[in-house]
Amino acid sequence: MESLPDVPRVVQLPDGTYAYTNHLPAPPQQSSGPQIIHQHVHQAPPDRTVQRIALGSGVGAGAVAAGVYFGPLLVGVLTAMAANLALLALIAAVCAWGVVTVVRSVGGEDGKRAAETVRRARGRR
């Protein structure tokens, strides 16, 4: 805390405005030890976090380029896979509904008796 500059004094002029009392810049301070830099990363977006970690740990430009390129690419691939799976599930449900409808309409008396037996068996549970 000793290395921090003094707080500048502010005065109110007769016209009501405020001004600093000292206009001279602070002289540069000489330090004998290494300079300590505190870096804070607050609420980084998800696709930038990998880049910031890579830059902070000294990994290099290759890791940053991979994060920039493959991050959005991975999100796009996963979205496309999810859309394909949803479409396949919809097609499977429609096909199953169609098969059930056709079997019920074509089944005849044997199919109706089997359906009635299954319905009674479910009712007993």
Side-chain angles (χ1 to χ4, degrees):
M1 288 297 197
E2 299 88 31
S3 64
L4 295 176
D6 292 335
V7 179
R9 293 183 36 94
V10 179
V11 295
Q12 187 175 11
L13 298 176
D15 62 349
T17 60
Y18 293 93
Y20 291 107
T21 56
N22 58 346
H23 295 289
L24 299 176
Q29 302 209 355
Q30 301 292 330
S31 77
S32 60
Q35 185 179 6
I36 298 172
I37 299 174
H38 295 281
Q39 182 178 7
H40 300 277
V41 179
H42 296 283
Q43 297 178 354
D47 59 334
R48 301 279 190 256
T49 305
V50 174
Q51 301 163 32
R52 291 178 190 215
I53 291 172
L55 285 174
S57 63
V59 171
V64 175
V68 169
Y69 182 75
F70 290 114
L73 189 66
L74 179 65
V75 170
V77 167
L78 291 176
T79 304
M81 288 172 56
N84 287 339
L85 288 175
L87 183 64
L88 288 175
L90 178 67
I91 290 172
V94 168
C95 288
W97 174 77
V99 168
V100 167
T101 303
V102 168
V103 168
R104 282 185 181 168
S105 65
V106 175
E109 288 299 318
D110 292 335
K112 290 180 183 174
R113 270 189 264 128
E116 184 65 30
T117 305
V118 169
R119 195 175 302 123
R120 273 193 249 136
R122 284 187 184 165
R124 291 181 193 157
R125 288 188 203 169

